[in-house]
């Protein structure tokens, strides 16, 4: 069906045109208007398929009518034929400009009228069909776009559901630390309303305890653009329960590959840790008495020795062997024997202090590591108390069965520098006590008076040594593993003792710590090392550091930053070439004061390393608080790496810890290629040890650099 409008002020024309129009095709509806304004009003409600209008009309001419019509909705492309008696081009142009489609001359030729209007209607029909098709197509496209979007939305929702149900804490933050996303597991863990977390600082969610480290690690991901190696951490949830997690942090990137966020996921490994702890407990305890076993005692000895090297008080090892226990077993049987051993273990644990270690070494042999001993007399007194406690012990559940013990004692450092020496000497002393009839104790070096005299002599000798300049520094090169290049040296003290030759620090430094001489000695070390390093600096040796070992007494008694600044300026050494090595016990003695000193040293340009790491507290919390640049894994772990999986695990954990805090990690005491290889594989950056270079006089260090580019290993 087509709708045709006729506009003409003359009734005759209207009738003729209406009739002609109606004859174009069978289903044509014709509307005729005398007044063009009425036609315009009608056209706002109806959309005709063709309009035939006279040009010359009293109210408005054909051109004006067409212009007005074209503004009506849907009338922009309706064909309009203008009937004009005028031949002049000017009128036609006006009508064309206004939007007319075609012209018919008046008087109208009927045949021409019908032909033209039929063509225009056919054209209009096609136009409408095309428009309809285009609209359908657009609709179809819109529909499919909508369904694609819906599919994406569905899969994102499903993904979010999966992320929400995973038993893993997952969150993402932006550069400012604001939360972008938190999964349900995490909001439940911290008991917060999921609706309120997005856009707020993550610290509000997780609490302040971990916030500072979290921020630091997130910034690290932003600046490096790299994921961090997984690390373990403990988190306390809203319920107050502490749980262990294995956490990873990875960068989130936008389509231009820019890092816009950090995704943190923490896997709950509490159960796994418990199993691990249980296994560790089993490996370190005696199943019968639940006391520490030989392995754990050796570990504690090792730590005590490392602490004693610098500053801790002396300690003693008591070996306790029951007298005549074999008879108990023979007469009463093994199960009674076992019950008796348990009872003795319980009795001994009443004698020891919290800081001591009581262990059962096997059979009827126990040991006590007595820590923080004031003098040799304390040791003897304690041994006597142990002997008395056992002799006085009678177990009512075991027919008041009684026993005595033979006790052998070795005191560090005089009776042995390492665990094996101490155990062997304590054993010898124990056999001496047994040989004398038992129920007695025996000190390895019984002549305590002679020993006290020796200590006094040593003090006088050390004073002389300072005055006579008998101290010497040796330097041990430190290597960057991957490039096999020397990056620094550690200054190690030697004493050129008259009549004895060069002696190592283990024999005299513990005494110097005790009598305070360590202060002038270490000042001498600092001066000499800075002077040597400054000579190397002037000689143009490649920039490398000299590391100096510090004593806790220095931090307690001296203003270390002031002293270091003074000696640096006297020597003219670039402060960046100086590193100070501190042990964990130095740091722990007064964490805040030491942290202030270290920050000041850092400001000078001096770097700080934590020495013998792993033998002390080895806790993340203090490392985090300190301006430390390097940690040095203690040589005892490196030495046993190949044999003891525990030690290998500790080494790997320290390396991972160092990496997660952006600290350099150096392994000490590397003696074999195999150790070096496995350190390299674990990602350890630096190493020091006899394999790479022994401590040597300064002149030999200079000789190493004689041929400048050759930093070859010195075996
Ligand atoms: P440290 O700081 O841990 O020094 C490393 C010790 O390990 C040095 O012993 C070094 O000779 C030794 N060493 C290096 N590589 C290996 C290796 O591959 N295998 C083995 N078995 N040992 C290796 P040294 O020179 O006897 O020094 C012992 C400790 O004395 C030092 O331990 C440090 O704590 C202290 N010390 C040394 N010099 C000074 C000093 O000037 N001042 C202070 N306060 N302490 C010092
Ligand atoms: Mg050192
Ligand atoms: Mg060390």
């Amino acid at each position: 069906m087509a709708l045709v409008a006729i506009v003409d002020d003359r009734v005759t024309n209207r009738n003729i045109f209406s009739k002609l129009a109606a004859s174009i095709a069978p289903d044509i509806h014709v509307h005729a208007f005398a007044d063009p304004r009425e036609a315009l009003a009608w056209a706002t409600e109806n959309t005709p398929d063709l309009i035939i209008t006279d040009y010359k009309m009293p109210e408005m001419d054909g051109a004006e009518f067409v212009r007005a019509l074209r503004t009506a909705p849907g009338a922009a492309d309706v064909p309009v034929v203008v009937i004009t008696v005028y031949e002049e081009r000017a009128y036609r142009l006006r009508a064309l400009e206004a939007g007319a489609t075609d012209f018919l001359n008046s008087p109208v030729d009927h045949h021409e009228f019908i032909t033209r209007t039929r063509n225009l209607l056919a054209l209009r029909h096609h136009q409408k069909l095309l428009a309809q098709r285009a609209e359908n197509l657009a609709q179809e496209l819109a529909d499919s776009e909508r369904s694609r979007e819906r599919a994406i939305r569905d899969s994102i929702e499903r993904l979010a559901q999966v992320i929400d149900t995973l038993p893993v804490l997952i969150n993402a933050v932006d550069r400012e630390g604001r939360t972008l996303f938190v999964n349900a597991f995490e909001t439940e863990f911290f008991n917060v309303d999921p609706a309120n977390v997005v856009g707020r600082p993550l610290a509000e969610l997780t609490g302040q305890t971990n916030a500072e480290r979290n921020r630091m690690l997130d910034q690290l991901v932003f600046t490096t653009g790299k994921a961090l190696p997984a690390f373990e951490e403990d988190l306390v949830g809203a319920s107050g329960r502490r749980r262990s997690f294995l956490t990873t942090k990875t960068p989130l990137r936008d389509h231009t590959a820019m890092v816009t966020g950090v995704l943190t996921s923490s896997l709950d490994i509490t159960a796994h840790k418990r199993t691990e702890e249980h296994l560790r407990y089993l490996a370190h305890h005696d199943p019968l008495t639940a006391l520490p076993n030989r392995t754990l005692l050796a570990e504690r000895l090792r730590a005590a020795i490392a602490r004693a090297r610098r500053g801790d008080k002396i300690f003693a090892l008591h070996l306790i062997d029951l007298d005549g226990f074999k008879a108990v077993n023979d007469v009463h049987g093994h199960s009674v024997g076992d019950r008796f051993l348990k009872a003795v273990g319980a009795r001994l644990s009443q004698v020891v202090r919290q800081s001591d270690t009581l262990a059962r070494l096997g059979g009827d042999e126990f040991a006590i590591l007595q820590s923080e001993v004031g003098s040799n007399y304390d040791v003897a007194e304690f041994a006597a108390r142990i002997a008395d406690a056992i002799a006085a012990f009678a177990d009512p559940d075991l027919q008041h069965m009684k026993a005595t013990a033979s006790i052998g004692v070795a005191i560090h450092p005089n009776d042995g520098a390492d665990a094996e020496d101490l155990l062997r000497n304590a054993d010898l002393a124990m056999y001496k006590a047994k040989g004398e009839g038992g129920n007695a104790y025996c000190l390895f070096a019984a002549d305590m008076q002679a020993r006290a005299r020796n200590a006094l002599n040593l003090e006088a000798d050390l004073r002389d040594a300072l005055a006579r300049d008998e101290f010497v520094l040796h330097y041990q090169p430190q290597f960057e593993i991957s490039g096999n290049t020397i990056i620094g040296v550690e200054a190690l003290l030697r004493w050129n003792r008259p009549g004895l030759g060069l002696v190592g620090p283990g024999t005299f430094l513990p005494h110097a710590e005790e009598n305070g001489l360590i202060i002038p000695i270490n000042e001498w070390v600092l001066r000499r090392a800075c002077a040597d390093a400054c000579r190397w600096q002037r000689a143009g040796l490649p920039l490398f550091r000299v590391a100096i070992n510090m004593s806790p007494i220095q931090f307690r008694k001296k203003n270390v930053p002031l002293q270091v600044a003074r000696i640096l300026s006297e020597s003219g050494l670039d402060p960046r070439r100086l590193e100070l090595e501190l042990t964990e016990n130095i740091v722990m003695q007064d964490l805040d004061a030491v942290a202030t000193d270290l920050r000041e040293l850092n400001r000078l340009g001096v770097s700080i390393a934590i020495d013998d790491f792993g033998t002390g507290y080895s806790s993340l919390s203090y490392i985090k608080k300190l301006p430390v640049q390097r940690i040095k894994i203690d040589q005892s772990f490196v030495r046993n790496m190949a044999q003891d999986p525990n030690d290998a695990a500790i080494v790997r954990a320290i390396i991972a810890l160092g990496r997660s805090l952006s600290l350099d990690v150096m392994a000490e005491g590397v003696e074999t290629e195999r150790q070096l290889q496995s350190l390299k594989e674990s990602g350890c950056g630096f190493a020091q040890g006899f394999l790479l270079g022994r401590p040597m006089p300064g002149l030999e260090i200079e000789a190493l650099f004689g041929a400048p580019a050759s930093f070859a290993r010195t075996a």
Side-chain angles (χ1 to χ4, degrees):
M1 190 200 76
L3 198 54
V4 178
I6 310 286
V7 188
D8 201 313
D9 56 312
R10 280 166 299 179
V11 66
T12 332
N13 283 355
R14 276 203 308 277
N15 289 341
I16 295 170
F17 295 155
S18 297
K19 273 209 190 96
L20 284 174
S23 71
I24 299 170
D27 54 349
I28 297 230
H29 286 250
V30 182
H31 289 257
F33 302 93
D35 186 337
R37 286 167 307 190
E38 272 174 39
L40 284 173
W42 173 83
T44 59
E45 307 276 305
N46 302 276
T47 305
D49 296 302
L50 175 66
I51 296 176
I52 299 150
T53 176
D54 191 17
Y55 188 90
K56 194 161 178 296
M57 294 177 290
E59 281 79 14
M60 121 192 303
D61 71 21
E64 282 171 69
F65 169 71
V66 175
R67 187 169 293 115
L69 176 83
R70 288 298 184 216
T71 63
D77 46 10
V78 176
V80 181
V81 181
V82 179
I83 298 174
T84 167
V85 288
Y86 304 100
E87 287 286 87
E88 287 96 337
R89 275 170 56 86
Y91 290 107
R92 295 205 162 186
L93 266 178
R94 262 196 79 206
L96 268 179
E97 268 165 17
T101 318
D102 203 353
F103 297 93
L104 278 171
N105 284 331
S106 180
V108 168
D109 177 284
H110 291 192
H111 184 67
E112 191 186 359
F113 182 101
I114 288 171
T115 316
R116 289 262 186 102
T117 51
R118 184 179 286 142
N119 285 345
L120 284 171
L121 275 177
L123 200 67
R124 168 76 176 160
H125 180 67
H126 278 113
Q127 229 175 29
K128 277 167 76 175
L129 270 182
L130 273 176
Q132 187 61 49
R133 274 206 202 131
E135 198 177 313
N136 288 348
L137 206 61
Q139 187 61 43
E140 276 167 29
L141 275 176
D143 286 351
S144 75
E145 186 62 25
R146 260 197 298 280
S147 61
R148 214 171 69 90
E149 271 170 21
R150 196 176 314 121
I152 291 174
R153 223 176 18 248
D154 285 353
S155 65
I156 289 175
E157 268 166 25
R158 267 199 298 278
L159 193 62
Q161 275 168 13
V162 171
I163 289 173
D164 270 347
T165 51
L166 280 180
V168 178
L169 307 177
I170 300 175
N171 70 58
V173 294
D174 66 9
R175 207 172 272 276
E176 276 70 46
R178 286 180 304 234
T179 309
L180 298 171
F181 169 82
V182 180
N183 76 339
F185 192 70
E186 182 153 353
T187 52
E188 273 161 31
F189 183 75
F190 289 114
N191 190 26
V192 289
D193 179 1
N196 286 336
V197 290
V198 173
R200 310 202 52 80
L202 189 70
E204 286 181 13
L205 173 73
T206 59
Q208 285 304 325
T209 334
N210 297 299
E212 197 183 313
R213 186 193 44 186
N214 244 327
R215 278 290 279 154
M216 192 176 84
L217 297 177
D218 289 345
Q219 285 311 318
L220 199 63
V221 177
F222 276 116
T223 44
T224 61
K226 293 208 181 100
L228 295 183
F231 58 92
E232 287 182 15
E233 62 177 345
D234 279 2
L235 298 174
V236 181
S239 63
R241 266 180 319 155
R242 174 177 293 278
R243 300 195 67 82
S244 301
F245 291 90
L246 185 68
T247 297
T248 48
K249 286 185 178 283
T250 39
L252 289 175
R253 298 173 189 280
D254 65 8
H255 62 283
T256 66
M258 209 177 79
V259 181
T260 52
V262 175
L263 183 74
T264 303
S265 59
S266 305
L267 180 68
D268 190 334
I269 52 165
T270 313
H272 174 79
K273 291 283 285 186
R274 272 197 205 118
T275 320
E276 215 177 68
E277 263 160 39
H278 184 61
L279 287 177
R280 203 181 137 70
Y281 179 87
L282 290 180
H284 285 93
H285 289 83
D286 163 44
L288 178 67
T289 58
L291 291 173
N293 62 10
R294 188 181 284 274
T295 312
L296 185 51
L297 178 74
E299 227 170 74
R300 299 261 167 94
L301 273 173
R302 208 155 65 183
I305 291 167
R307 284 203 301 274
R309 268 216 300 266
R310 272 182 271 171
D312 253 24
K313 293 207 168 132
I314 58 171
F315 66 88
L317 176 66
H318 301 253
L319 266 194
I320 304 155
D321 194 277
L322 299 184
D323 299 324
F325 180 70
K326 193 170 169 298
V328 175
N329 262 347
D330 291 347
V331 175
H332 301 280
H334 281 275
S335 81
V336 174
D338 282 355
R339 275 162 61 202
F340 186 68
L341 286 173
K342 270 170 89 167
V344 169
R347 178 72 192 98
L348 283 175
S349 31
Q350 291 164 356
V351 181
V352 298
R353 290 165 308 164
Q354 187 83 41
S355 53
D356 299 336
T357 299
L358 165 64
R360 177 171 175 242
L361 304 186
D364 58 351
E365 210 178 10
F366 293 83
I368 295 176
L369 171 68
Q370 182 191 7
S371 62
E372 293 173 31
V373 176
S375 71
N376 290 344
Y377 299 102
D378 292 351
V379 176
E381 198 246 357
F382 186 59
R385 259 200 299 140
I386 300 172
D388 289 349
I390 293 183
F393 171 61
D395 192 334
D397 293 340
L398 293 163
Q399 299 128 41
H400 292 88
M401 203 181 278
K402 287 179 73 78
T404 58
S406 299
I407 302 165
V409 189
I411 303 174
H412 180 83
N414 284 355
D415 298 342
D418 58 28
E420 287 96 77
D421 278 357
L422 286 168
L423 277 163
R424 195 187 44 242
N425 291 340
D427 212 37
L428 285 174
M430 191 269 289
Y431 276 109
K432 191 152 175 264
K434 221 177 250 299
E436 285 166 9
N439 192 17
Y441 70 85
C442 178
L443 300 187
F444 174 67
D447 187 359
M448 285 197 291
Q449 272 178 342
R451 195 183 282 176
R453 221 173 24 244
N454 276 346
L456 273 179
N457 285 347
L458 185 62
E459 185 173 342
D461 286 356
L462 281 172
R463 280 185 204 284
D464 288 348
L466 267 172
R468 295 192 205 127
D469 210 13
E470 288 171 359
F471 289 116
V472 191
L473 281 188
H474 278 190
Y475 294 97
Q476 185 177 30
Q478 301 179 320
F479 279 76
E480 204 237 342
I481 297 181
S482 69
N484 193 24
T485 47
I486 299 180
I487 49 101
V489 291
E490 176 175 4
L492 294 162
L493 185 61
R494 305 286 179 262
W495 179 8
N496 199 351
R497 201 170 176 188
L500 287 174
L502 220 51
V503 295
T507 59
F508 61 89
L509 272 190
H511 301 279
E513 297 272 1
E514 238 175 291
N515 59 31
L517 278 173
I518 187 70
I519 301 251
I521 293 178
N522 241 26
E523 183 161 349
W524 177 89
V525 171
L526 199 56
R527 274 221 164 73
R528 169 51 53 89
C530 285
D532 283 347
C534 189
R535 209 176 52 249
W536 300 334
Q537 175 184 310
R538 293 219 180 91
L541 298 195
L543 183 100
F544 67 80
R545 271 185 314 261
V546 60
I548 289 169
N549 293 288
M550 301 297 280
S551 146
I553 319 261
Q554 287 173 284
F555 277 88
R556 235 177 290 147
K557 300 235 167 97
K558 278 263 169 201
N559 182 337
V560 177
L562 192 69
Q563 187 192 29
V564 168
R566 195 178 300 136
I567 292 178
L568 275 172
S569 81
E570 277 168 21
S571 68
L573 180 69
D574 179 347
R576 285 170 305 169
R577 287 181 172 232
L578 181 62
E579 178 156 283
L580 301 184
E581 293 193 1
L582 280 71
T583 51
E584 292 166 84
N585 61 338
I586 297 190
V587 170
M588 293 311 290
Q589 272 166 8
D590 191 352
L591 190 57
D592 292 334
V594 173
T596 313
D597 278 359
L598 297 191
R599 259 189 290 279
E600 233 164 278
L601 288 162
N602 263 190
R603 262 199 296 278
L604 288 174
V606 175
S607 53
I608 308 294
I610 298 290
D611 203 357
D612 306 342
F613 191 81
T615 57
Y617 300 84
S618 314
S619 107
L620 231 177
S621 62
Y622 84 85
I623 288 278
K624 241 171 43 195
K625 280 196 184 160
L626 292 171
V628 166
Q629 284 71 48
R630 191 188 304 277
I631 42 188
K632 298 182 73 179
I633 309 175
D634 189 64
Q635 43 184 282
S636 54
F637 301 112
V638 176
R639 187 174 311 131
N640 298 331
M641 250 175 103
Q643 302 90 297
D644 187 344
N646 259 330
D647 283 353
I650 291 174
V651 169
R652 274 198 306 275
I654 297 176
I655 294 169
L657 163 73
R659 286 222 301 222
S660 73
L661 293 172
S662 296
L663 298 174
D664 286 345
V665 179
M666 178 173 291
E668 290 186 283
V670 181
E671 293 182 347
T672 65
E673 283 289 353
R674 198 158 149 218
Q675 289 163 349
L676 186 67
Q677 190 54 32
S678 83
L679 286 164
K680 194 172 179 174
E681 279 159 13
S682 309
C684 181
F686 303 89
Q688 179 181 351
F690 292 168
L691 174 72
L692 301 159
R694 287 183 176 266
M696 59 187 97
L699 280 176
E700 284 180 34
I701 291 284
E702 284 162 41
L704 275 186
F705 289 92
S710 83
F711 313 143
R713 279 188 199 169
T714 57

